[in-house]
Amino acid sequence: MKITHVEVHRVHVPAASPPFRWREGLGGSAPAGDGAVLRIGTDEGAEGVALFARPGAAAMLEDLVERVFREELIGQDPFRREWLWHRVWELDRIQELPLPTFGLIDIALWDLAGRVYGQPVWQVLGGFRRAIPAYASTSTFATTEEFLDVADQCLALGYQGIKLHAWGDARRDAALCLALREHVGPDVPLMYDGSAGFDLPDAIYLGRALAGADYLWYEEPMREFSISAYQKLAESVPIPLLVAETSDGAHMNSADFIKAGAATFGVRVGTTLRGGVTGAMRTAHLADAYRIRAEVHGSDIPNHHLCMAISNTTYYESLVTASTVRRERHVDDQGLVHAPTGPGIALPLDLEYGKELQQYIEGATT
């Protein structure tokens, strides 16, 4: 079997409704725009696709396919995923590829393989579980009272934990985290994501508050350029750290965070920022060797498969971006997400942009 065509199809990515925001300095939800589907086909009719559901993604991906990816892929065996994954890293040496594009070829090839085998990708990967609890991962709301109300709604809907994305002010965020713990009681798992908003002194201050409130993990308080700063943070606070979400290098730089003692809860994995399915699985196995967690980042469908395949992950991350909370469609009333059943990754190959594809896009961007 050989790859014979590599195509980019533009798809409309709707704006979040209602719009939402992140911490001070990061802005908020994107306006509607053109996302893209990467489609890889073969001489035997097997095909695989990957969605790049980011407004403005279409032009970026079209350029990469025309300049770089099509020439590399045409004529190749689509089952040589490892070799092609390494080729993308080689290409990056000159091309400086945008981080979210690293895994697109890999995702499409895993989708193709699953369709050929007639199995969902999580089963092709070996399969570990058929259901996983979901936590509610908030956007940033205006007041403490609004956060507490959202938390009440999430717990009533069955979510089994809550993670805060707050304002990016260490003292204000610490007060919010303490208020939430007092509000929900001692038994609800709580997490905090700093979205890289702090320097080391403020990260230490906030980390000590989180430890006192018995938060499960402390995620990305600083930009992930300085592993030394994270090493010092780990030495200074008892709250377990979840690290290596956005830094380039997949399992390679995750290894350096672990070696430095900075990944005291675990490392982030995911198809979008850690090099597709292959990069995520490499990172998860590395973390497992050190007996730490590999927590899956993001609530799109490829990461749904990762949650079912990775043994050392704890939760499915489900975004909650509106003050009137609705459960994500993958989450049941017990707060569980169940394994996909369709072959491949289950982005439909029908590119007429019908209801099923629209549901997929909405699930990946809201």
Side-chain angles (χ1 to χ4, degrees):
M1 187 184 296
K2 300 295 182 184
I3 296 172
T4 54
H5 58 276
V6 183
E7 303 167 356
V8 177
H9 296 262
R10 291 190 174 222
V11 293
H12 177 70
V13 179
S17 181
F20 61 89
R21 68 186 183 95
W22 300 112
R23 68 164 173 81
E24 184 68 25
L26 289 187
S29 54
D34 282 342
V37 173
L38 175 68
R39 186 172 186 169
I40 297 175
T42 68
D43 55 358
E44 297 184 20
E47 296 180 312
V49 294
L51 177 65
F52 194 5
R54 178 176 296 188
M60 180 191 303
L61 188 56
E62 286 167 348
D63 174 66
L64 284 174
V65 166
E66 289 299 319
R67 288 192 302 106
V68 183
F69 289 160
R70 182 175 287 118
E71 181 179 355
E72 284 292 327
L73 291 171
I74 297 296
Q76 298 296 337
D77 180 347
F79 292 103
R80 293 187 68 193
R81 291 181 298 274
E82 279 285 331
W83 188 82
L84 290 168
W85 191 82
H86 279 278
R87 281 299 302 152
V88 172
W89 282 99
E90 285 289 293
L91 295 169
D92 178 62
R93 174 60 183 82
I94 297 297
Q95 299 294 333
E96 291 288 340
L97 300 171
L99 191 57
T101 67
F102 266 88
L104 290 173
I105 291 171
D106 188 70
I107 293 167
L109 294 177
W110 277 102
D111 181 51
L112 183 151
R115 292 177 185 276
V116 169
Y117 299 142
Q119 293 184 325
V121 163
W122 68 271
Q123 285 188 321
V124 179
L125 290 167
F128 181 78
R129 60 173 64 85
R130 294 184 179 274
I132 192 169
Y135 69 85
S137 181
T138 75
S139 58
T140 301
F141 298 105
T143 65
T144 296
E145 291 71 27
E146 192 173 8
F147 272 108
L148 299 184
D149 179 62
V150 166
D152 287 341
Q153 294 180 62
C154 291
L155 296 175
L157 288 169
Y159 282 104
Q160 296 193 26
I162 297 168
K163 187 177 81 176
L164 298 175
H165 293 85
W167 302 292
D169 178 312
R171 280 151 181 78
R172 190 181 180 199
D173 287 10
L176 168 65
C177 292
L178 294 172
L180 180 61
R181 171 55 75 202
E182 182 177 359
H183 184 73
V184 301
D187 298 328
V188 176
L190 299 178
M191 310 82 153
Y192 173 88
D193 187 335
S195 301
F198 305 108
D199 61 10
L200 181 57
D202 278 348
I204 291 172
Y205 175 89
L206 182 52
R208 288 173 176 163
L210 293 172
D214 194 28
Y215 273 56
L216 182 62
W217 75 59
Y218 186 18
E219 182 177 342
E220 200 194 1
M222 301 177 287
R223 291 302 301 270
E224 293 175 334
F225 299 129
S226 173
I227 293 176
S228 296
Y230 270 93
Q231 182 181 35
K232 185 63 177 177
L233 179 64
E235 293 168 353
S236 302
V237 298
I239 177 77
L241 304 182
L242 182 61
V243 299
E245 176 182 318
T246 62
S247 54
D248 200 346
H251 62 290
M252 293 171 280
N253 82 331
S254 295
D256 285 335
F257 275 96
I258 295 169
K259 182 177 182 295
T264 47
F265 189 91
V267 293
R268 271 302 202 185
V269 298
T271 57
T272 305
L273 299 178
R274 308 305 284 167
V277 174
T278 297
M281 293 302 293
R282 281 170 171 251
T283 306
H285 294 155
L286 167 71
D288 189 48
Y290 283 90
R291 311 309 300 149
I292 59 175
R293 306 287 171 84
E295 293 296 335
V296 175
H297 170 251
S299 54
D300 60 2
I301 291 177
N303 288 312
H304 189 170
H305 285 265
L306 284 182
C307 284
M308 304 304 160
I310 293 173
S311 64
N312 53 325
T313 198
T314 316
Y315 293 101
Y316 174 87
E317 180 175 23
S318 179
L319 265 181
V320 170
T321 60
S323 57
T324 299
V325 180
R326 293 185 302 170
R327 273 197 314 268
E328 186 184 337
R329 62 193 179 92
H330 298 306
V331 182
D332 70 14
D333 59 4
Q334 302 300 307
L336 295 174
V337 175
H338 297 272
T341 57
I345 288 176
L347 171 61
L349 290 174
D350 175 9
L351 295 177
E352 297 302 316
Y353 317 140
K355 181 178 180 181
E356 188 177 6
L357 182 55
Q358 190 67 25
Q359 286 178 337
Y360 178 93
I361 296 168
E362 290 173 354
T365 58
T366 60

